[in-house]
Amino acid sequence: MDQNTLLDFEKPIAELEAKLEDMRDLASKNNVDVSTAIEELEDKIVQLKKSTFENLTRWQRVQLSRHADRPYTLDYIYQITDDFVELHGDRAFGDDKAMVGGFGTIDGKTFMLIGQQKGRNTKQRQMRNFGMANPEGYRKALRLMKLAEKFKKPVVTFIDTPGAFPGLEAEERGQAEAIAKNLKEMFKLTVPVICIVIGEGASGGALGIAIGDSVMMLENTWYSVISPESCSSILWRSWDYKEQAAEALKLTAKDMESFGLIDKIIPEPLGGAHTNPQEMFKIMKETILSETAELENLDTITLKNNRIEKFSQMGVFEE
């Protein structure tokens, strides 16, 4: 693990892993048999990981969802597709770098893949606007979905945003209208739509590409109307209560599944997606293919009706 990107609860695990590496180096250099000690330490690391990650608080899962080494949308797209052709522009204003999309082939099957993209360094973060899309980003996403519908290709969206961009220029260009139109039009799409929260799922910024037949979340992600920090600043006029806010918001994948707001939780490798990206890519690829195979068995009318019915039932309360 990179010491610079370690979260507090990852540090005890990293310390043991460092000891394990030292032990292996010592055995290699001095030709000493310490295999028993190495096995014991490996077991100890696995047990510590299990106990740590099974008992994370909601705030800790929020921290994991933002981990600097966590795979982003384009990481998944380039790793799970055999080829990917990125498409640009909303044909009205410009090309939003915070929203990416295009056709890609997974095991010989063509998909339209769309998602918010964050940056890894300062320059990339500025270019990608920290994954916060402007109206043209949502209009581009809808244009690509309509293109997929035209050619009868399934749509897969990857959700990872702290929210739609709240700047004045975004409001002037119709941010609310762009997101609202996406919601309306996604309900009517005649092709299978799979939506996956891979990191942060904040507010309308996430929902703008999240109306699907199968809505899933990775194990260490969050999905909520507001971030814990923003909630804390509104309720307590300070970010200091973000942990309490996270608990109150009940925003984890388990919470969302228990509320019936998502269909499935996608497991991550032990320790989080960032600890074993290749395994995560494999899980993602298998999940997309299996979900698509199920949805393609449904006719167009059933597909749309099921989608509308599912979202219509959310928030229904019966005494």
Side-chain angles (χ1 to χ4, degrees), residues 253-311:
K254 282 185 179 178
D255 293 322
M256 292 297 107
E257 188 180 46
S258 70
F259 296 145
L261 299 177
I262 63 166
D263 301 298
K264 192 179 292 185
I265 297 172
I266 302 173
E268 295 184 22
L270 186 60
H274 64 286
T275 62
N276 192 345
Q278 291 305 317
E279 178 63 21
M280 190 67 251
F281 298 142
K282 182 183 174 187
I283 294 168
M284 182 67 77
K285 183 177 179 178
E286 290 171 354
T287 302
I288 290 171
L289 289 172
S290 65
E291 289 293 312
T292 306
E294 285 184 28
L295 293 170
E296 286 187 327
N297 289 327
L298 303 174
D299 62 81
T300 301
I301 294 172
T302 305
L303 196 69
K304 286 201 294 183
N305 287 345
N306 287 355
R307 192 185 304 149
I308 292 167
E309 181 65 21
K310 178 174 73 172
F311 281 87

Side-chain angles (χ1 to χ4, degrees), residues 231-267:
C231 179
S232 174
S233 67
I234 290 170
L235 295 182
W236 290 285
R237 300 287 186 267
S238 166
W239 278 23
D240 295 342
Y241 300 93
K242 54 186 178 290
E243 293 181 43
Q244 291 96 311
E247 289 298 316
L249 286 167
K250 294 182 169 54
L251 38 59
T252 66
K254 282 185 179 178
D255 293 322
M256 292 297 107
E257 188 180 46
S258 70
F259 296 145
L261 299 177
I262 63 166
D263 301 298
K264 192 179 292 185
I265 297 172
I266 302 173

Side-chain angles (χ1 to χ4, degrees), residues 27-45:
S28 175
K29 289 174 183 175
N30 298 301
N31 199 24
V32 180
D33 183 16
V34 289
S35 55
T36 304
I38 286 174
E39 283 179 18
E40 288 176 356
L41 190 52
E42 285 174 338
D43 289 341
K44 190 174 180 181
I45 290 170

Side-chain angles (χ1 to χ4, degrees), residues 72-86:
Y72 293 151
T73 293
L74 285 176
D75 297 321
Y76 285 108
I77 290 175
Y78 284 124
Q79 289 296 323
I80 68 177
T81 60
D82 303 313
D83 51 17
F84 175 63
V85 180
E86 186 174 350

Side-chain angles (χ1 to χ4, degrees), residues 111-181:
F111 291 81
M112 176 61 78
L113 304 133
I114 301 165
Q116 288 107 352
Q117 176 67 20
K118 293 178 176 176
R120 298 221 176 264
N121 54 43
T122 304
K123 188 175 181 181
Q124 286 179 1
R125 286 177 191 132
Q126 287 179 327
M127 180 184 78
R128 300 291 181 185
N129 201 28
F130 299 88
M132 296 186 292
N134 278 281
E136 51 271 21
Y138 292 99
R139 289 174 181 137
K140 172 167 74 171
L142 182 58
R143 180 177 78 81
L144 299 188
M145 291 176 204
K146 290 290 188 180
L147 193 61
E149 184 178 47
K150 179 180 178 180
F151 293 108
K152 296 180 171 56
K153 303 300 180 187
V155 174
V156 178
T157 67
F158 298 99
I159 297 139
D160 188 12
T161 180
F165 186 58
L168 178 62
E169 61 272 33
E171 298 299 334
E172 288 173 342
R173 293 198 297 274
Q175 184 72 286
E177 184 274 340
I179 292 172
K181 187 172 182 182

